[in-house]
C-alpha cells in the first residue's frame, strides 16, 4: 500500500550544490522489505513523513480536484531544506506515498454531478481511509511521530482512528481551519472526517481555531456550541473584532485538547493566496500558521501533524514554489518543536 522512495528518486527532487548538505541527501529511507513495524524501528528515527496523493475526498465533498498533485512540490520543498544545526535529515524518515493509483483511476470515471457519481466517490474515500489507517497504525506501533501531507481533509479520520487501533486511549484534536469539517455522516468525504471519528468513538475532544463565520452552516455551528467535547474560536473574533489574540485562541484550544494525546491538523485553506481547493482572500498569515504548529507540537501530548488541502493541480506555475516552501516550513517547524521537548 506504499510507494517507497529510493535515494535516486529523492535526490532527483533535490538541488544538490557543492559544499552544502540538503535534507534530500541525508533523510532516512526504508532500506529493506518485510514487516513494516520492524523496518521502522530499525530506522531509529523520531519522525516519519508520508504523502497522500489523492483528492477523492475533496471531490466527494463537491470540491475542486488538484490536491492529489501537491505531494511532489511538497517533497521538493522538504528535500531542499538545508541539513544543518537546526534540522537534520537523520532524525526523520521519508516513508513514501500511499498507493492510491487504482482508486484515483476509479475516481476519474465518476461523474460528481450525479448522485451515482457522488456515491462512488464517497465509497472510494472509505477505501482511502482503510489504506491510510493501516499504514499509520504501523507507524504508531513503532512509536514514531507521523507527519501526513495530503491530500484532502478526509484523511483526518484515519489519522485519528488508527491511533485507537493501537493504543488504549482516544485522541483529541486541534485544527486550524476556516471550516469545521463536521458535516453530516452522509458518506465519507473531506467535510466530515471529524464527525465520523467523534461519533465512532475515535475522537475525544475537538477544537477548531479560526472558523470563518460566513462559511459554516447553522446546524454545524449549533453542534459545536452545544457538544461539551467540541470547541471553536472564529477568525472574526480573533482578527476583526479582536476579542482575543491569535495566540490566546491557540493556547486555550490546546489546553482544552491536551489533557491526553492529541493530533495537530492544519488546513492550508486557513492561509490566504495559497493554492487550495477552497481559497480565501482573508485569513491567517503564514507566520501565524507556523506559530500554531510550533505551539501545538511543543506540547508533549501531541502525536501527529497533518497538513492538507494544498492544491498544486490548481496552482499557476509561479505559485508552486510558494506552496512548496510553505509546506516545507510547516513540516520543519513541527519537527523542531517536537524534538526540543523529547
Amino acid at each position: 500500500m506504499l510507494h517507497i522512495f529510493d535515494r535516486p528518486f529523492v535526490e532527483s527532487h533535490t538541488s544538490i550544490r557543492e559544499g552544502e548538505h540538503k535534507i534530500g541527501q541525508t533523510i532516512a529511507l526504508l532500506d529493506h522489505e518485510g514487516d513494516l513495524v520492524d523496518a521502522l524501528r530499525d530506522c531509529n528515527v523520531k519522525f516519519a513523513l508520508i504523502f497522500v496523493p489523492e483528492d477523492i475526498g475533496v471531490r466527494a465533498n463537491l470540491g475542486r480536484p488538484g490536491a492529489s498533485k501537491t505531494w511532489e512540490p511538497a517533497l521538493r520543498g522538504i528535500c531542499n531544506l538545508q541539513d544543518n544545526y537546526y534540522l537534520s535529515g537523520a532524525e526523520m524518515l521519508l516513508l513514501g506515498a500511499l498507493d492510491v493509483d487504482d482508486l484515483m483511476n476509479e475516481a476519474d470515471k465518476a461523474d460528481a454531478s450525479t448522485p451515482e457519481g457522488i456515491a462512488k466517490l464517497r465509497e472510494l474515500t472509505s477505501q482511502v481511509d482503510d489504506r491510510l489507517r493501516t499504514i499509520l497504525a504501523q507507524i504508531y506501533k513503532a512509536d514514531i511521530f507521523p507527519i501526513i501531507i495530503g491530500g484532502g481533509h478526509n484523511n483526518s479520520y484515519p489519522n485519528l482512528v488508527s491511533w485507537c487501533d493501537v493504543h488504549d486511549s482516544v485522541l483529541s484534536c486541534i485544527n486550524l481551519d476556516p471550516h469545521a469539517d463536521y458535516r453530516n455522516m452522509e458518506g465519507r468525504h473531506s467535510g466530515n472526517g471529524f464527525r465520523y471519528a467523534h461519533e465512532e468513538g475515535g475522537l475525544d475532544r475537538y477544537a477548531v481555531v479560526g472558523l470563518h463565520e460566513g462559511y459554516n452552516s447553522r446546524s454545524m455551528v449549533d453542534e459545536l456550541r452545544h457538544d461539551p467535547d467540541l470547541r471553536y474560536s472564529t477568525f472574526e473574533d480573533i482578527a476583526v473584532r479582536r476579542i482575543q489574540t491569535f495566540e490566546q485562541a491557540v493556547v486555550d484550544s490546546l489546553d482544552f485538547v491536551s489533557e491526553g494525546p492529541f493530533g495537530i491538523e492544519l488546513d492550508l485553506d486557513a492561509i490566504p493566496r495559497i493554492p487550495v481547493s477552497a481559497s480565501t482572500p482573508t485569513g491567517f498569515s503564514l507566520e501565524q500558521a507556523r506559530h500554531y504548529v510550533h505551539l501545538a507540537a511543543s506540547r508533549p501530548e501531541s502525536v501527529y501533524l497533518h497538513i492538507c488541502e494544498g492544491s498544486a493541480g490548481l496552482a499557476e506555475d509561479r505559485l508552486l514554489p510558494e506552496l512548496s516552501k510553505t509546506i516545507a516550513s510547516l513540516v520543519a517547524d513541527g519537527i523542531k518543536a517536537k524534538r526540543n521537548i523529547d
Side-chain angles (χ1 to χ4, degrees):
M1 290 184 286
L2 277 172
H3 290 299
I4 303 296
F5 297 160
D6 60 21
R7 187 65 62 188
F9 178 78
V10 174
E11 290 192 350
S12 73
H13 290 76
T14 308
S15 299
I16 298 173
R17 298 181 63 176
E18 186 177 353
E20 296 182 358
H21 291 91
K22 301 285 186 66
I23 294 295
Q25 297 170 277
T26 61
I27 194 167
L29 304 174
L30 278 183
D31 60 1
H32 68 271
E33 297 181 355
D35 182 76
L36 181 57
V37 177
D38 289 341
L40 289 167
R41 287 174 176 155
D42 288 346
C43 290
N44 194 30
V45 296
K46 294 183 178 180
F47 307 96
L49 279 65
I50 180 169
F51 299 91
V52 190
E54 63 83 33
D55 49 27
I56 302 170
V58 173
R59 296 191 230 179
N61 194 28
L62 305 180
R64 298 182 296 167
S68 63
K69 300 183 183 302
T70 300
W71 71 272
E72 198 154 14
L75 172 63
R76 187 173 296 110
I78 293 164
C79 286
N80 283 291
L81 293 170
Q82 294 281 350
D83 185 304
N84 56 25
Y85 171 81
Y86 301 101
L87 188 70
S88 169
E91 61 190 324
M92 61 185 100
L93 170 71
L94 185 52
L95 186 54
L98 191 71
D99 185 357
V100 290
D101 293 347
D102 57 328
L103 304 183
M104 286 292 295
N105 288 335
E106 287 297 310
D108 288 340
K109 300 173 187 175
D111 183 355
S113 67
T114 68
E116 296 78 14
I118 289 295
K120 180 63 176 178
L121 290 167
R122 292 176 178 177
E123 174 196 335
L124 291 170
T125 303
S126 292
Q127 294 184 49
V128 175
D129 289 344
D130 293 340
R131 295 186 188 187
L132 184 55
R133 181 174 186 168
T134 299
I135 297 299
L136 287 174
Q138 308 311 302
I139 298 173
Y140 288 136
K141 284 180 183 178
D143 197 25
I144 293 174
F145 185 99
I147 298 174
I148 307 105
I149 300 168
H153 219 159
N154 43 292
N155 296 311
S156 61
Y157 172 79
N159 295 343
L160 293 160
V161 296
S162 57
W163 175 271
C164 302
D165 294 339
V166 176
H167 297 88
D168 292 329
S169 61
V170 179
L171 285 184
S172 293
C173 188
I174 187 171
N175 182 24
L176 185 70
D177 198 336
H179 316 102
D181 291 342
Y182 206 76
R183 292 179 182 274
N184 291 333
M185 297 170 69
E186 55 195 359
R188 286 288 295 114
H189 56 65
S190 65
N192 59 20
F194 299 102
R195 179 65 172 268
Y196 268 84
H198 189 53
E199 294 290 337
E200 293 178 4
L203 170 63
D204 184 12
R205 293 185 170 190
Y206 175 46
V208 192
V209 178
L211 205 70
H212 284 204
E213 293 174 3
Y215 294 93
N216 290 271
S217 69
R218 177 187 292 272
S219 61
M220 189 157 36
V221 173
D222 283 345
E223 292 272 1
L224 297 174
R225 287 171 62 88
H226 296 121
D227 188 328
D229 292 333
L230 310 179
R231 178 173 292 187
Y232 72 94
S233 58
T234 72
F235 176 77
E236 284 77 5
D237 272 351
I238 297 166
V240 179
R241 292 184 285 270
R242 301 190 180 182
I243 295 172
Q244 61 180 160
T245 67
F246 176 76
E247 183 155 355
Q248 286 171 335
V250 174
V251 170
D252 287 349
S253 294
L254 285 170
D255 289 344
F256 178 69
V257 302
S258 64
E259 291 185 0
F262 71 94
I264 307 165
E265 299 274 342
L266 192 153
D267 190 320
L268 291 170
D269 290 358
I271 307 170
R273 293 173 290 280
I274 296 291
V276 292
S277 174
S279 60
T280 176
T282 184
F284 297 120
S285 69
L286 176 56
E287 290 75 21
Q288 287 174 304
R290 293 182 64 182
H291 189 50
Y292 161 81
V293 170
H294 168 78
L295 289 172
S298 294
R299 297 283 177 118
E301 299 85 3
S302 59
V303 300
Y304 77 77
L305 170 62
H306 180 211
I307 301 167
C308 62
E309 296 286 342
S311 189
L314 295 173
E316 300 175 22
D317 288 345
R318 65 182 179 83
L319 292 178
L320 284 176
E322 183 175 348
L323 178 62
S324 176
K325 291 180 179 180
T326 293
I327 295 174
S329 297
L330 293 165
V331 168
D333 292 332
I335 291 173
K336 293 172 188 176
K338 187 66 180 175
R339 178 192 61 204
N340 288 340
I341 62 171
D342 290 339

